[in-house]
Amino acid sequence: MIQKVAVILSGCGVYDGAEIHESVFSMYFLAKKGIEYSLFAPDTMQAHVINHLNGTELRQERNVLMESARIARGKIAGLNQLKVNDFDALYFPGGFGVAKNMTSYAFDGDDMSVDWQVEDVIKAFFKAQKPIVALCISPVMIAKVLGNVTVTIGNDGATARSVKKFGAQHVNTEINEVFVDEKNRIITAPCYMHDASVLEVAANIEQAVDALIRF
Amino acid sequence: MIQKVAVILSGCGVYDGAEIHESVFSMYFLAKKGIEYSLFAPDTMQAHVINHLNGTELRQERNVLMESARIARGKIAGLNQLKVNDFDALYFPGGFGVAKNMTSYAFDGDDMSVDWQVEDVIKAFFKAQKPIVALCISPVMIAKVLGNVTVTIGNDGATARSVKKFGAQHVNTEINEVFVDEKNRIITAPCYMHDASVLEVAANIEQAVDALIRF
């Protein structure tokens, strides 16, 4: 039974960190369904800082854990504190932080690398046969780390091609669908990979949490 | 009938900006009840930047509008763009941004000043007899600007005394209550002024939105 989930944030803000709505709705629906969660983030520097008004880069440095702490209201720990035995599942919201801070997908595409701590955590939960939830762009990282699994990132052709390049299978989904790889215990949901409303994204995350509960 | 609401953010993060959960749940419940909203923030510099891991001050400068844009996913405008005629109500989530960026309450207490643009907007909605919603710490600002109104900031004694010093009345509330000043059309809810859970805060915000709909 899923009682306690480790949620991994990648900063604070869709263009250079964790997607804020996806993170907050994840906390909300996990709590609503009676699942406890703890928040973690890599204690590393962001790839860069984006002005969220116009998409330009700011000459500033920010730390991923410190910025993630904004979403967490301070209740968050470094990813190196995460003990797999303490949790029943691993959970990644989306946002460009996944593609910039936890991996280099936004810069290197199919040649991307993955933060070694993040990679270790994904492999450890997978090996322990514990479910992994990945929203939005984060299934790309799951595909890169685990290879032969099946995920969805919605219906974006280029990203789906990357998923396949990493040896994984891709299933197209709409905003009201999640995909569950039963065999590998991996739940993926497209969320803001679609041009979706706040209500659609919230509903999609509730579906993902419901799918997690069924394990 | 309330169809369109102007939501005013004060940054991104509870200790130096808008409270993120309160902001996202406000967007969520407004949308869920069929109310359109637009987001605005003052185009000013933050009073300071706080490390949300440990509460210390960082040697960095950030812009309130630019940081608020993280919560808004870029869909936000400067407060000077707000036209009162376009909206049926004004809405303030909480967070220290209200007490640091939109007012100086966190630094000056009862001697606080209010950003003149924020003050103008509050007075304009009040004069137009349009409802104002204020969550968490933001009722202090409403009390300072409008004087003889009745609000709640939960049950914190020092903050309640400030409210009264500004010529307003204060009503204690628990986390499952909102207060409606029917005569002045002001709805206030304590939210994270209590040591509340994410579920309690979400429910409190839904109550505030329900109270707004009744106008």
Side-chain angles (χ1 to χ4, degrees), chain B residues 24 40 44 59 68 97 106 123 125-126 148 186 196 208 211:
Chain B
V24 173
F40 299 89
T44 54
R59 294 175 66 92
S68 299
K123 284 182 173 167
F125 275 83
F126 185 70
N148 187 21
I186 292 169

Side-chain angles (χ1 to χ4, degrees), chain B:
Chain B
M1 212 181 110
I2 305 295
Q3 293 180 305
K4 192 129 195 256
V5 173
V7 178
I8 318 300
L9 302 182
S10 59
C12 178
V14 53
Y15 298 122
D16 60 16
E19 211 300 310
I20 291 173
H21 303 189
E22 290 175 4
S23 302
V24 173
F25 290 135
S26 295
M27 296 162 72
Y28 177 61
F29 286 111
L30 286 168
K32 200 166 176 183
K33 313 276 173 174
I35 300 177
E36 270 185 84
Y37 59 82
S38 297
L39 301 168
F40 299 89
D43 188 2
T44 54
M45 296 312 287
Q46 292 186 190
H48 60 189
V49 179
I50 294 292
N51 173 344
H52 278 56
L53 279 179
N54 61 19
T56 58
E57 197 173 333
L58 294 174
R59 294 175 66 92
Q60 224 180 53
E61 294 194 343
R62 299 190 187 184
N63 176 285
V64 176
L65 174 58
M66 211 181 280
E67 297 307 315
S68 299
R70 294 175 176 272
I71 297 176
R73 294 171 51 81
K75 290 179 193 158
I76 191 166
L79 193 52
N80 59 346
Q81 305 291 309
L82 199 173
K83 292 186 178 63
V84 177
N85 286 340
D86 293 348
F87 296 94
D88 304 311
L90 183 63
Y91 189 117
F92 292 96
F96 270 100
V98 173
K100 291 177 172 178
N101 302 328
M102 302 209 296
T103 75
S104 64
Y105 183 64
F107 310 110
D108 301 330
D110 295 348
D111 295 324
M112 80 169 180
S113 50
V114 181
D115 175 281
W116 66 270
Q117 264 185 356
V118 175
E119 180 160 354
D120 278 2
V121 165
I122 294 170
K123 284 182 173 167
F125 275 83
F126 185 70
K127 198 179 160 198
Q129 306 201 327
K130 295 180 176 182
I132 299 173
V133 179
L135 308 182
C136 192
I137 188 69
S138 59
V140 172
M141 174 176 70
I142 302 299
K144 171 71 180 173
V145 172
L146 297 180
N148 187 21
V149 296
T150 308
V151 299
T152 184
I153 49 79
N155 56 18
D156 179 67
T159 316
R161 272 191 296 280
S162 295
V163 163
K164 289 174 203 162
K165 254 251 165 99
F166 299 147
Q169 292 81 48
H170 183 266
V171 175
N172 281 338
T173 48
E174 298 303 325
I175 185 59
N176 61 348
E177 297 174 305
V178 301
F179 184 79
V180 182
D181 178 340
E182 296 280 353
K183 182 176 152 238
N184 295 302
R185 295 162 300 279
I186 292 169
I187 298 151
T188 47
C191 296
Y192 277 123
M193 286 297 289
H194 288 289
D195 183 18
S197 73
V198 71
L199 289 183
E200 288 173 320
V201 165
N204 198 217
I205 289 172
E206 183 169 17
Q207 286 182 296
V209 173
D210 283 338
L212 175 62
I213 290 171
R214 284 195 286 276
F215 274 102

